[in-house]
Amino acid sequence: MTGNHKDKSITRRRALAVTGGTVAAGGLAVAGYQSAFADTEATADATATASATSSSACMTLMTSVTEGPYYLDGALVRKDITEGKSGVPLTLRLTVVDATDGCTPVPGAAVEIWHCDAWGYYSGYTTANPGGSAPAESEDGSTANDQTYLRGYQIANANGVVKFETIFPGWYTPRTCHIHVKVHTGGEKEDGTYEGGKVNYTGQFFFDDGIAQEIFTLEPYSQHSGSYTTLDNDMVYDGGGASSGLLTLKAVKKADPSKGYKGFLTLGIDPDAENTGAGSGAGGEGGTPPSGAPTGEPPSGAPSESATASASASS
């Protein structure tokens, strides 16, 4: 992939701004990733909280957009959502704050994320064509559960912080590289997943184009060829920087970005609000899904409460 891989079929206003602090580098995961992230919990919380406090999103309600066509109920409560899927390691450290009350932390908030694998496939929808040319999802050699990989919840600590270990997502036509997110409050962990409460925010996280396009030249991402849609041509990202979900990214090791990335963002929400996931603003309904993508009910075999509980026990 190169920077020339833009999807010109989508027209929308160009991005107005992006957040600072990104590192324009990419790489493939190699041995040593675990040790690279061997900081203490206290240090991690302090880093995430400091980053969040300095973010402009702290004083702004996050832009709500559609949940998209790939959502599944019953995601597991867990920190590591990779299930062996290969790709550039990504650690997300997210801070949930109440934007209506001076950006105070929202402890106990449940942050739910889901995204595609390196070739553009989502668990639960592994036969949906990601566009361009890519191997079948079953050819990646992983032993991941095709109903649950790259999906999960984390519950915010006293500082409003959650952490996920995952991989840098790939892409599918006609979207840019992104991660989906919901923030829930008022529920509780039950049978390995999160039940009850309400959804306060539905949105998406986005990535600097320079980093994404360099990563997509590497294995296994490079096996998916085609036209990658950049931020300024994406139908959902509205150019608002952090308040629109643009992550601040930091390479774990500048001299060797293949060690992975850390991503930071503050999610400024209204805990009293309820969001249906229908979306608003420039994002609309998230555009037309790729060929073969679902338009109605989830496919048969989608994870049930009993299935997620069993998977949680074995993870």
Side-chain angles (χ1 to χ4, degrees):
M1 296 279 170
T2 68
N4 294 325
H5 290 162
K6 293 185 179 181
D7 189 334
K8 294 296 186 180
S9 65
I10 302 171
T11 58
R12 57 171 304 278
R13 65 180 181 278
R14 294 182 63 84
L16 300 177
V18 295
T19 51
T22 55
V23 180
L28 182 65
V30 297
Y33 162 64
Q34 292 295 335
S35 61
F37 287 98
D39 50 356
T40 65
E41 292 296 300
T43 301
D45 288 347
T47 301
T49 302
S51 174
T53 302
S54 64
S55 171
S56 61
C58 182
M59 299 306 296
T60 307
L61 285 169
M62 297 295 292
T63 303
S64 178
V65 298
T66 177
E67 70 179 25
Y70 294 112
Y71 182 71
L72 286 178
D73 288 321
L76 304 173
V77 177
R78 55 184 179 173
K79 181 179 179 180
D80 187 339
I81 64 173
T82 58
E83 295 192 21
K85 281 286 183 175
S86 60
V88 172
L90 175 66
T91 293
L92 291 175
R93 291 191 173 100
L94 312 168
T95 304
V96 184
V97 299
D98 184 349
T100 69
D101 186 26
C103 294
T104 54
V106 185
V111 179
E112 178 185 15
I113 66 170
W114 67 102
H115 64 83
C116 68
D117 68 6
W119 293 341
Y121 295 103
Y122 282 84
S123 58
Y125 304 105
T126 57
T127 60
N129 185 351
S133 177
E137 188 271 346
S138 59
E139 295 179 25
D140 72 352
S142 77
T143 57
N145 183 324
D146 64 10
Q147 298 295 321
T148 60
Y149 67 74
L150 303 177
R151 298 178 185 269
Y153 283 94
Q154 277 285 276
I155 310 300
N157 65 15
N159 296 318
V161 175
V162 299
K163 304 166 205 169
F164 289 95
E165 292 179 2
T166 186
I167 61 169
F168 205 101
W171 59 274
Y172 64 89
T173 303
R175 294 297 318 284
T176 194
C177 179
H178 63 284
I179 293 176
H180 294 269
V181 58
K182 287 179 181 280
V183 178
H184 309 245
T185 56
E188 59 184 18
K189 182 179 177 180
E190 182 178 336
D191 294 332
T193 186
Y194 185 85
E195 300 288 351
K198 62 183 177 182
V199 177
N200 305 101
Y201 167 70
T202 301
Q204 298 180 25
F205 300 143
F206 300 97
F207 297 82
D208 174 80
D209 283 331
I211 295 175
Q213 290 177 330
E214 186 166 0
I215 285 176
F216 295 158
T217 67
L218 307 171
E219 290 288 344
Y221 302 90
S222 61
Q223 295 185 52
H224 184 191
S225 61
S227 296
Y228 167 70
T229 301
T230 53
L231 287 172
D232 59 350
N233 286 319
D234 188 60
M235 62 182 66
V236 175
Y237 180 66
D238 66 6
S243 64
S244 296
L246 188 65
L247 292 162
T248 293
L249 295 173
K250 180 179 180 182
V252 172
K253 188 176 181 181
K254 290 184 179 180
D256 187 3
S258 65
K259 299 295 184 182
Y261 288 85
K262 294 182 180 180
F264 304 92
L265 192 66
T266 296
L267 301 176
I269 69 164
D270 178 355
D272 295 325
E274 186 164 6
N275 182 277
T276 65
S280 60
E285 287 300 316
T288 303
S291 173
T295 57
E297 294 298 316
S300 60
S304 63
E305 289 185 13
S306 59
T308 55
S310 175
S312 178
S314 62
S315 62

